[in-house]
Amino acid sequence: MPPTQSPPTRWRPLRLPPIRARYVGRALLLGYGLFCLLYLSSHALRLGTPLTLQRGAFDAAIPLLPWTIWPYLSQFVLLPLAVVKARDDADRSRVYYAALLATLTAAAVFLLFPTQLQRPPLPQGGMTGYAWQLLFASDVDGNCFPSLHAALAALAGIALWRRGWRATALSWTALIATATLTTRQHVAWDTLAGILLGAIAWMLTPRLFRHD
């Protein structure tokens, strides 16, 4: 008799705890801590000399608008809102773990293929100037490609779209993506790469993780 062949091994999704509404606060704190750890350590430990990205003709045509620092920073409201207001625990878990997957993927790219951009002059005066000072003090001048800012905004937009908040999902996500350019924190192609990263992370999360 021919030898019995064992069936091919199939990938089994990694089982993770679901993000339930009653525990969402502590989950957000843990997620933000992991985000900071991955984002900042990938910059501190980056391998090789970072590539300085050059602004193309499209980027040069986009003006620097200092006030758009506010929609840029609103990313830190949009993503928690999307997690808290997800339509159910399944979507809440999916957007949460997709955001961590996007962060982990981006951090690996930042580490292995570091990039940076020349920062614009620091605007002065008023609350807008203070917001810029806060950004420059807390952020790094690298970790440009892919835009993690755009990736997380895209994920939040997907979750809010599924929640039924479609106008909010489209307008807020588009405003943040545009602000990555008008604040000159990114160039067009790494913003587009970030949006693509967010979409891929959303699609891959159910295949990689279980959280039921």
Side-chain angles (χ1 to χ4, degrees), residues 31 40 46 49 53 69 86 104 110 137 143 147-148 171 204:
L40 296 176
R46 57 191 178 180
T49 303
L53 300 180
I69 188 65
L104 180 62
F110 300 155
N143 292 4
S147 169
L148 190 51
S171 59
L204 286 181

Side-chain angles (χ1 to χ4, degrees), residues 145-147 150 187-197:
F145 176 86
S147 169
V187 294
W189 65 279
D190 57 69
T191 293
L192 291 174
I195 294 171
L196 180 61
L197 171 61

Side-chain angles (χ1 to χ4, degrees), residues 2-192:
T4 303
Q5 294 184 349
S6 58
T9 302
R10 295 182 59 187
W11 166 260
R12 293 185 178 181
L14 179 65
R15 194 173 188 88
L16 296 172
I19 308 301
R20 303 197 187 281
R22 62 182 179 273
Y23 301 128
V24 71
R26 68 184 70 174
L28 287 173
L29 287 174
L30 176 61
Y32 185 67
L34 290 172
F35 165 82
C36 291
L37 176 64
L38 290 168
Y39 184 80
L40 296 176
S41 63
S42 63
H43 181 268
L45 301 173
R46 57 191 178 180
L47 305 177
T49 303
L51 172 68
T52 300
L53 300 180
Q54 302 301 318
R55 303 185 189 278
F58 180 81
D59 300 292
I62 298 174
L64 171 64
L65 301 175
W67 66 267
T68 56
I69 188 65
W70 295 109
Y72 182 83
L73 292 177
S74 74
Q75 159 65 36
F76 297 102
V77 176
L78 177 62
L79 183 58
L81 177 68
V83 175
V84 170
K85 294 297 184 180
R87 66 179 185 177
D88 52 31
D89 285 347
D91 265 19
R92 180 173 296 107
S93 301
R94 186 172 180 179
V95 69
Y96 183 87
Y97 288 120
L100 290 181
L101 178 60
T103 301
L104 180 62
T105 303
V109 178
F110 300 155
L111 179 68
L112 298 172
F113 306 103
T115 51
Q116 64 183 13
L117 266 174
Q118 182 178 3
R119 283 179 159 176
L122 181 63
Q124 301 293 326
M127 292 300 296
T128 295
Y130 177 75
W132 276 95
Q133 292 176 33
L134 181 63
L135 175 67
F136 280 15
S138 59
D139 202 358
V140 296
D141 62 352
N143 292 4
C144 298
F145 176 86
S147 169
L148 190 51
H149 216 80
L152 299 180
L155 284 168
I158 293 170
L160 291 177
W161 179 277
R162 290 166 63 88
R163 175 69 168 79
W165 296 4
R166 297 188 172 181
T168 300
L170 286 174
S171 59
W172 201 342
T173 303
L175 187 60
I176 290 174
T178 302
T180 65
L181 304 178
T182 55
T183 56
R184 295 187 179 167
Q185 300 303 297
H186 291 278
V187 294
W189 65 279
D190 57 69
T191 293
L192 291 174

